[in-house]
């Protein structure tokens, strides 16, 4: 199943609008956002709509490869360039020539490798490790990070000139807690996927369970939500996923302390209202009309506070 960016909130609509605008231009893009928000998915969407979509598209996670090996992976090496280099190897830039290269977690790249990357962005040329021949390439760069590169610059860990070369256009992906209204649509997409994967064609989710999902703060973002839905699909004993099928931390989020801080962050008023509305809904046995009466608000307002779409 081809993954796509799901959501119709204002926040995610702005992301999709930017994707559409930059895809057809060979501009360098910096994608920012917390872990699990879907930065790689955005890069893939840009590539799939670009003029290079039928050309090579390579992905490299800069945090997953030791710094001493990352340079070789990116630029390649000649035989004998270092211990273990038994043959010449082309790097990602050569293999992606004519296409695109996505560099994930760019903030973890060493200063030395940053310097070589800057040259490629400026001159579209480099040498393999241990080599003297200059290699010309035509590669579109998309980079992503969950760090504040401006803070990394202040700490002397990221080159300012490279930052401005990468950040021609920035696409920031908001965390899931800032687009709660997208959760039902995202959950439906995951359920469609897991119905097929686990041969559970009739699996669905109750309104109460959905309300629990929209009341949670999702520190792990969409990645965490996907894990929860997959787990619930596997463990559910019926065709309807209930709140009891979720881990306890989802069903019973940490209580607010006297200082207004939970899990090292302050909840917004909207999040507090959503959590309280969820508690009242649970007290009302999942009956939204009863919960709305208890809160002295109309059912439409209750659904809004819960982050649910209006019923048709």
């Amino acid at each position: 199943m081809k993954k796509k960016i799901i959501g119709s909130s204002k926040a995610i609509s702005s992301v999709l609008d930017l994707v559409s605008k930059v895809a057809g231009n060979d501009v360098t893009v910096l994608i920012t956002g917390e872990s699990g928000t879907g930065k790689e998915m955005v890069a893939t969407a840009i590539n799939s709509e670009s003029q290079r979509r039928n050309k090579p598209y390579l992905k490299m996670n800069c945090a997953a490869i030791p710094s001493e090996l990352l340079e070789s992976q990116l630029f390649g090496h000649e035989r004998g360039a270092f211990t273990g280099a038994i043959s010449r190897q082309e790097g990602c830039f050569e293999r992606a020539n004519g296409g695109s290269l996505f560099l994930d977690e760019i903030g973890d790249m060493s200063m030395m490798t940053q310097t070589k990357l800057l040259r490629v962005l400026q001159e579209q040329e480099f040498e393999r490790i241990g080599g003297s021949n200059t290699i010309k390439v035509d590669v579109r760069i998309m980079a992503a990070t969950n760090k504040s590169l401006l803070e990394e610059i202040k700490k002397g860990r990221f080159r300012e000139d490279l930052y401005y070369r990468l950040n021609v256009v920035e696409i920031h992906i908001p965390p899931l807690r800032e687009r709660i209204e997208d959760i039902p649509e995202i959950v439906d997409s995951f359920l469609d996927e897991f119905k097929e994967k686990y041969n559970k064609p009739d699996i669905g989710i109750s309104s109460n369970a959905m309300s629990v999902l929209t009341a949670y703060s999702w520190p792990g973002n969409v990645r965490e939500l996907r894990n929860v839905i997959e787990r619930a699909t596997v463990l559910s004993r019926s065709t309807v996923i209930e709140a009891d099928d979720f881990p306890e931390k989802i069903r019973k989020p940490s209580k607010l302390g006297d200082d207004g801080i939970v899990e090292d962050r302050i909840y917004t008023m909207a999040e507090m209202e959503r959590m309280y509305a969820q508690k009242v809904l649970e007290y009302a046995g999942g009956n939204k009309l009863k919960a709305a009466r208890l809160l002295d608000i109309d059912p439409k307002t209750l659904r809004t506070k819960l982050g649910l779409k209006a019923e048709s």
Side-chain angles (χ1 to χ4, degrees), residues 9-222:
S9 65
K10 183 178 179 180
I12 209 66
S13 294
S14 296
V15 170
L16 292 171
D17 183 55
L18 272 175
V19 167
S20 179
K21 287 178 178 178
V22 304
N25 301 285
D26 272 353
V27 64
T28 303
V29 179
L30 178 64
I31 307 168
T32 61
E34 296 177 6
S35 293
T37 50
K39 296 186 289 295
E40 181 179 334
M41 197 177 297
V42 168
T44 300
I46 292 172
N47 181 69
S48 66
E49 295 181 28
S50 74
Q51 297 177 349
R52 298 175 183 249
R53 58 185 173 273
N54 295 320
K55 302 293 185 178
Y57 174 47
L58 276 65
K59 306 172 187 179
M60 177 68 66
N61 188 324
C62 301
I65 301 173
S67 58
E68 61 270 18
L69 297 179
L70 181 60
E71 185 178 342
S72 174
Q73 291 292 314
L74 289 173
F75 306 109
H77 61 255
E78 298 290 348
R79 179 181 178 182
F82 51 82
T83 302
I86 59 176
S87 62
R88 191 184 76 178
Q89 176 179 299
E90 292 184 349
C92 287
F93 276 101
E94 279 183 88
R95 291 186 283 121
N97 191 25
S100 302
L101 176 60
F102 173 56
L103 299 176
D104 199 5
E105 304 304 349
I106 193 78
D108 291 272
M109 184 178 285
S110 71
M111 294 295 282
M112 181 180 295
T113 307
Q114 287 178 40
T115 300
K116 294 196 173 185
L117 175 60
L118 178 63
R119 181 189 172 197
V120 178
L121 285 169
Q122 291 176 329
E123 309 295 338
Q124 292 281 289
E125 65 181 30
F126 64 94
E127 290 83 36
R128 300 190 193 100
I129 297 174
S132 57
N133 293 328
T134 298
I135 300 167
K136 290 279 189 179
V137 289
D138 172 23
V139 178
R140 180 186 191 172
I141 301 296
M142 292 177 284
T145 181
N146 61 7
K147 296 182 177 181
S148 168
L149 293 186
L150 290 176
E151 287 298 318
E152 294 297 296
I153 291 169
K154 290 179 182 178
K155 295 174 182 177
R157 296 196 291 246
F158 202 84
R159 293 185 60 122
E160 186 174 13
D161 46 4
L162 176 58
Y163 170 75
Y164 288 112
R165 280 284 178 176
L166 292 171
N167 192 21
V168 178
V169 175
E170 178 180 352
I171 299 179
H172 178 72
I173 309 175
L176 189 55
R177 64 180 175 273
E178 293 180 6
R179 55 186 188 101
I180 292 295
E181 61 268 39
D182 287 335
I183 286 180
E185 193 174 347
I186 296 171
V187 169
D188 287 343
S189 175
F190 288 155
L191 285 176
D192 286 342
E193 177 183 350
F194 298 137
K195 282 177 184 179
E196 183 176 348
K197 182 176 180 179
Y198 297 109
N199 193 27
K200 289 192 171 185
D202 300 321
I203 197 74
I205 185 169
S206 72
S207 59
N208 183 52
M210 188 68 80
S211 296
V212 169
L213 295 179
T214 58
Y216 183 61
S217 61
W218 300 107
N221 292 295
V222 179

